[in-house]
Amino acid sequence: MKKFILFALILMCMSCSKSIEDEAMEHLKIMMKEMVNCADEAELVNTHTVYKSDSLCVIDFTLKAPNGAGAMLSTPMEYLYIDVEINGQRVCGESITFEDKFDFLHEQSEEEKELEKELAKEGFDMNYIINNSVANVKSKYRNELIKYAHHNPNHPKIEDKLTFSAAWLKLMTRGREVNKNKGKDIKL
């Protein structure tokens, strides 16, 4: 009986913890609230999880929000959320992919210019990485990711490893650290 009660308590604790998908949705809403001018009028529609694992969640969605002139725009986007422990250090980050036309708003820092040069040496185009989905980056740079991340192409979970590597590459180019305490009360 004691073993059963202990087992039931463990199951209850496990079911109470948030999944990476729940965490990703929460942080996606926070990010959109920060990015959109009239956040109270914005809406996330057609939201669906494209990929999830224990450390990565990729969500496709459409943002419906008013532009500066008051017209409602619908913009397809991809959000990625990574929460992983690497070498004893927790890394939690997010990145968003817009359509190509939005990237001109961003002025490249000196660090980004250096990163772009380093990525080019490895065979990667930073603009392509920034402006395309995780799946497209994975597809285009499959061989480079295998080589760069030292993946065994015959590993039974190679597709998962390549998806994570493509997401990590996107996070590295235009991602940001997630503040786990920010915006808990924001609803979109």
Side-chain angles (χ1 to χ4, degrees), residues 28 31-32 35 61 77-79 94-98 130:
L28 166 60
M31 182 183 242
M32 289 298 99
M35 291 177 59
F61 67 99
M77 298 179 162
E78 178 186 75
Y79 175 79
E94 64 187 352
S95 182
I96 194 137
T97 302
F98 299 71
I130 291 168

Side-chain angles (χ1 to χ4, degrees), residues 22 32 37 43 51 60 67 74 81 116 120 127 130 134 136 138 142 144-145 150-151:
D22 293 338
M32 289 298 99
N37 288 334
E43 184 181 6
Y51 178 87
D60 279 352
N67 64 5
S74 291
Y81 177 79
E116 186 171 26
N127 285 325
I130 291 168
V134 170
N136 288 347
K138 173 183 154 183
R142 182 179 190 81
E144 290 85 350
L145 289 170
H150 308 291
H151 292 310

Side-chain angles (χ1 to χ4, degrees), residues 139-186:
S139 177
K140 179 173 174 106
Y141 294 116
R142 182 179 190 81
N143 294 330
E144 290 85 350
L145 289 170
I146 287 171
K147 183 179 86 176
Y148 186 72
H150 308 291
H151 292 310
N152 174 356
N154 298 318
H155 192 281
K157 293 190 176 194
I158 188 64
E159 294 307 315
D160 291 332
K161 291 177 172 289
L162 291 173
T163 299
F164 185 87
S165 295
W168 187 263
L169 196 56
K170 288 184 66 61
L171 185 67
M172 191 171 76
T173 57
R174 192 62 61 77
R176 70 179 192 174
E177 184 178 354
V178 170
N179 181 344
K180 293 292 245 180
N181 299 318
K182 188 174 181 182
K184 294 292 183 190
D185 59 340
I186 295 174

